[in-house]
Structure formats: C-alpha cells, structure tokens
C-alpha cells in the first residue's frame, strides 16, 4: 500500500507524520486531498489529518527527516525479471538517509523486502554517513489489503516488529500504542530476519490456500462435488479457517504474485526449495486458461463471438489490474478472434492502457448488449444482482461464465442461460451433467 495510506493512518493515531515522495505533482495533489489511486475512505482521512496539522507532504527527505524519531521506508520493490524483489529504490533511499542522519533515529522497512535486507540496508546507511551517528534498524511488515487498507491498518490481527535494539522496540511499541485498547497482539522479533520472513510466509500461505482450493475445485468438477460446500466445511474447522478458500480465477494484485515468486527465489538461493509455493504459483497461472476453456465450451469457437467482461481489476474495490486474471483471459479471447467488450467501475483507464482497442462500456448492461457470452471476472457488488431477464433480452447468445461463483446454475438455467463456474457441478434430475 502507498505511503499516503500508512501516513494518514499513523497521523490518525495522533502522531506527527511527514510523507516524502519524489514526485512533486503527487505531493501537491495529496496536499489538496487528491489520492492518486482508488482507495475507499482514504481521501477523507488525508483531508482530516492535514487539516488537523498532523499530516504533511513534501518532496524533501531532509525536511521529512528533520524531527523524525522513526523513518519508515515504504518505497516500491518491483519484481525484477528473475522474480526477486528489485531493491534499487530501497538502497538508494538508504544512502540518502545515511547522508542526512544527524541524530538517533530508527530506520524501519515497511516495503516487503527479501530476508536480510534490513541488515544490508544498515551497512548502506552506515557507509553513507558523513559523521558517525547512532541509529537502529527495524522491520515492521504490514498486512494491508487494497480496498480495505485503512480498516486493516486500524484493526490489525497483529503487529509485527522486528528489531534487535531495545530503544527501537520501545519507540515502535509507542507508535502502535493506540491499538492497545483493541488488545492487538504485538509480536516482537529480536531477530530482524524473522519479521522479514513472516511477511513472505503469510502472503505465500494465503496464496497457497487459494491455489489449493482451486485445484480441489477442478477435482470437484470431475467427481461431481460442490466446492463451495467443501470450502465452507473446511473453513468451519478452526484450524483451517474459512478465509481465502474461494475458488475462481485465482489471485492477482501487487502482493501475492510478487511475494510468492520472491519466496521461491529466496528458497532457491539458500538451497531450500519452497516447492509448495512454486506449485501454488503454477496452479494460479493456469486459471485464466481454464476460464478460457470454459468459455469455449459454452459458446464454441470464439472467432467472431462477442464476449462481455464484467470486472477487470484483480479484485473488487480497487482500480489495480496488476497481475489480474482479466489480462490473460482477454489476451486468450482476442487471440482466438473474439470481440471483447468490457466494464469495470474504476479499472477501465488502467486496462485501456494495456488493451486500447477493446469496447469499453458504461455499465454491465451496455457491455452485454449483443454479446454471445457474459463473463463475470471480478465480483464487484454491482454485478451480484444483475437483472437476468433483461440480460437475456439484450444478449445475442445466452451464456454466462461466472469466474467468482457468485451465481448458480439453477438460477441461470431458469432464465435460459448456459452457465459455467468453478468447482460446482450442474445437476439435472439428481444426475451430474458436464
Ligand atoms: C494481500 C494480502 O491479503 C495482504 O495481507 C497483503 O498485505 C497484500 O496482499 P491484496 O493483494 O490487497 O492483499 O488482496 P486480497 O484481498 O488478499 O486478495 C488477493 C487476491 O486473491 C485477489 O486477486 C483475490 O481475488 C484473490 N482471492 C482472495 C481468491 O481468489 N480467493 C480467495 O478466497 C481470496
């Protein structure tokens, strides 16, 4: 998540926060309360804390660091072509921090960085110092989801603080003191590498959970079982838990795809392959092709067919399309000669940059007009209660591919649609039909 989200939340805890970014335009916009991406509730949180003078924005790192006790590094760590996190920006900012350091501060990484980064960064900072000034390193990974980052920050399941130094631990605990009232557990890791590994382990575990259920969903289709019930019953076992067991088009976004790859790389580098996560990545990569095969089954050869995509973002409540299943699905459809029409409440501008020639529409119904197949790609709320009667009237064909298991076969059949989803059997007179 962005610096502005974390900054606004920390300011809302009552701290004085200065957010630093090199982009002048972004900083000026934030000062006016303009958020450069879609995140529910963030604009009002920024505006409120700017007004209350707890939150400021600047392009000057020197100004940002002036009275700071803790400096959070939250720059991006893009994925390099080999799958590992690219630390160029982190190390560059480390050099600048080192050069500016003139009194004791805690330097804390927030970006998801490979295990061992904080220790490497400490050396970069030390080497860049003009005079020897004491500082401590900390790692404070976070578990914010796009679209609900504020709630996740304000009500976390736990706070993880990795630091080897007592003053740093004290300061970090102070920062999160407002969560004390919620009884939020604070996990202090005296080995900073532990905190760094926790983030990768969590994201990779959740991603693996999703791939697990997706693979079982494929089996469910073959044996005539219902994956939603399987997942529900699994989830009721408290040792498993019901979250991240929704079968469908799989995981995308800026974290799971990147962090799973990075963990696999870290394992390889240390001669300890994390093969479970490698398998989870592979299963996930195959899901758009599975969706495409289902589309083929519904409408036959896609050449000359019109396909309506409902939802483009990697999940609802975000305009993020990074690693979204919609990208690959669109590629497969276009390659097969289909005409693709699309709608998303907020992700169309981003998608247009990748696919400028799709027919972008103003709502679900306009998208489906004249279409042979409607594909529910992202489970935005506005696609959950579609008027199926109307849809049937305006579409050329009556086929519906539900990549998020929002609808069911019974209901769609009632309206005359051919329906396909992920991991739920079609039953006619008690018999499973393919
Ligand atoms: C994730 C982590 O949840 C968060 O803790 C971390 O800090 C950043 O990465 P985010 O990427 O914002 O957050 O989205 P999340 O809600 O976790 O969903 C990730 C992807 O998994 C989405 O594409 C979603 O559609 C998919 N997903 C999620 C499933 O396919 N099935 C599920 O059961 C849950």
């Amino acid at each position: 998540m962005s610096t502005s989200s974390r900054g606004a939340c920390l300011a809302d805890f009552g701290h004085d926060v200065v957010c630093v970014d090199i982009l002048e335009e972004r900083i000026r916009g934030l000062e006016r309360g303009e958020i450069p991406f879609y995140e529910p509730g963030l604009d009002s949180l920024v505006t409120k804390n700017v007004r209350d003078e707890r939150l400021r924005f600047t392009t000057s790192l020197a100004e940002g660091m002036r009275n700071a006790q803790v400096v959070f590094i939250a720059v991006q760590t893009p994925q390099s072509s080999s799958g590992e996190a690219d630390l160029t920006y982190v190390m560059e900012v480390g050099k600048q921090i080192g050069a500016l350091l003139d009194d004791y501060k805690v330097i804390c990484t927030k970006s998801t960085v490979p295990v061992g980064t904080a220790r490497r960064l400490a050396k970069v900072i030390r080497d860049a110092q003009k005079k020897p000034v004491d500082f401590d390193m900390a790692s404070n990974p976070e578990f914010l989801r796009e679209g609900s980052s504020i709630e996740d920050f304000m009500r976390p399941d736990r706070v993880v603080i990795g630091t080897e130094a007592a003053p740093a631990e004290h300061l970090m605990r102070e920062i999160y003191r407002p969560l004390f009232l919620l009884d939020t557990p604070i996990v202090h890791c005296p080995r900073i590498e532990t905190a760094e590994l926790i983030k990768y382990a969590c994201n990779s575990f959740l991603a693996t959970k999703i791939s697990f259920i997706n693979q079982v969903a494929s089996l469910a289709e073959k044996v005539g079982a219902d994956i939603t019930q399987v997942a529900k019953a699994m989830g009721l076992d408290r040792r498993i838990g019901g979250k991240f067991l929704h079968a469908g088009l799989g995981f995308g976004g800026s974290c799971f795809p990147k962090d799973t790859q990075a963990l696999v790389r870290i394992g390889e580098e240390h001669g300890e392959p994390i093969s479970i996560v490698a398998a989870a990545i592979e299963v996930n990569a195959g899901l758009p092709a599975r969706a495409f095969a289902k589309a083929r089954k519904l409408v036959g050869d896609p050449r000359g067919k019109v396909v309506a995509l409902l939802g483009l973002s990697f999940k609802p409540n975000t305009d993020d399309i990074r690693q979204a299943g919609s990208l690959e699905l669109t590629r497969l459809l276009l390659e097969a000669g289909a005409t693709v029409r699309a709608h998303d409440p907020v992700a169309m501008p981003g998608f247009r940059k990748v696919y400028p020639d799709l027919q972008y529409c103003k709502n679900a119904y306009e998208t489906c007009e004249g279409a042979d197949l409607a594909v529910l790609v992202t489970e935005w709320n506005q696609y959950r209660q579609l008027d199926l009667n109307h849809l049937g009237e305006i579409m050329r064909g009556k086929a519906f591919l539900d990549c998020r298991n929002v609808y069911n076969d019974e209901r769609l059949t009632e309206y005359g649609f051919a329906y396909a989803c992920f991991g739920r059997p079609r039953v006619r007179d008690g018999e499973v039909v393919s």
Side-chain angles (χ1 to χ4, degrees), residues 59-349:
T59 49
S60 158
L61 181 57
E63 191 190 324
M65 281 179 62
R66 193 158 297 138
N67 296 312
Q69 293 169 287
V70 181
V71 179
F72 287 104
I73 301 180
V75 296
Q76 52 170 322
T77 52
Q79 195 175 356
S80 67
S81 49
S82 56
E84 66 204 352
D86 176 354
L87 295 179
T88 318
Y89 303 113
V90 174
M91 294 303 165
E92 179 50 38
V93 93
K95 269 189 220 159
Q96 295 175 22
I97 288 171
L100 287 165
L101 209 62
D102 57 3
D103 59 359
Y104 174 81
K105 293 188 199 311
V106 173
I107 314 297
C108 180
T109 50
K110 266 240 169 258
S111 313
T112 305
V113 288
V115 183
T117 299
R119 221 170 276 282
R120 267 179 65 201
L121 190 61
K123 185 169 177 331
V124 169
I125 295 172
R126 212 171 293 119
D127 291 348
Q129 282 185 328
K130 295 193 175 121
K131 53 179 181 183
V133 177
D134 202 19
F135 68 95
D136 284 315
M137 295 302 299
S139 162
N140 176 213
E142 65 203 353
F143 305 91
L144 313 182
R145 287 163 301 172
E146 289 183 31
S148 54
S149 66
I150 296 168
E151 174 70 8
D152 288 349
F153 197 104
M154 300 294 196
R155 297 180 174 275
D157 288 342
R158 75 310 205 184
V159 170
V160 175
I161 298 170
T163 183
E164 289 157 25
E169 183 195 340
H170 174 75
L171 264 173
M172 294 299 295
R173 282 185 186 274
E174 276 302 299
I175 285 181
Y176 287 102
R177 190 201 272 280
L179 297 178
F180 182 73
L181 286 176
L182 302 174
D183 269 342
T184 309
I186 295 205
V187 181
H188 168 238
C189 312
R191 290 279 306 165
I192 208 161
E193 285 79 5
T194 309
E196 290 175 331
L197 187 55
I198 285 171
K199 179 66 198 259
Y200 284 108
C202 285
N203 276 354
S204 297
F205 189 82
L206 292 169
T208 304
K209 230 177 148 183
I210 298 169
S211 281
F212 179 88
I213 205 68
N214 279 323
Q215 211 163 36
V216 178
S218 302
L219 180 63
E221 283 171 17
K222 293 275 158 59
V223 301
D226 182 334
I227 197 63
T228 45
Q229 285 210 301
V230 172
K232 174 125 202 254
M234 281 176 70
L236 288 170
D237 184 328
R238 279 191 298 248
R239 294 169 301 176
I240 298 175
K243 294 190 176 144
F244 289 76
L245 282 179
H246 295 289
L249 201 52
F251 59 81
S254 65
C255 289
F256 285 178
K258 182 160 75 76
D259 294 353
T260 46
Q261 295 264 12
L263 186 63
V264 167
R265 270 295 300 229
I266 296 168
E268 278 166 6
E269 267 166 38
H270 291 80
E272 289 294 340
I274 314 283
S275 48
I276 289 184
V277 176
I281 296 170
E282 200 186 314
V283 169
N284 196 59
L287 293 170
R290 267 180 65 74
F292 178 69
K294 285 172 187 289
R296 276 195 94 102
K297 207 163 168 197
L298 284 171
V299 296
D301 185 357
R303 188 158 301 279
K305 301 275 165 34
V306 178
V307 179
L309 299 185
L310 304 181
L312 299 168
S313 54
F314 81 98
K315 65 170 195 176
N317 299 321
T318 176
D319 59 356
D320 199 340
I321 56 157
R322 282 175 287 179
Q323 306 290 324
S326 56
L327 291 166
E328 175 64 3
L329 181 58
T330 302
R331 192 189 69 73
L332 292 167
L333 288 166
L334 292 175
E335 195 181 72
T339 299
V340 178
R341 296 163 67 82
H343 174 259
D344 187 287
V346 291
M348 288 195 286

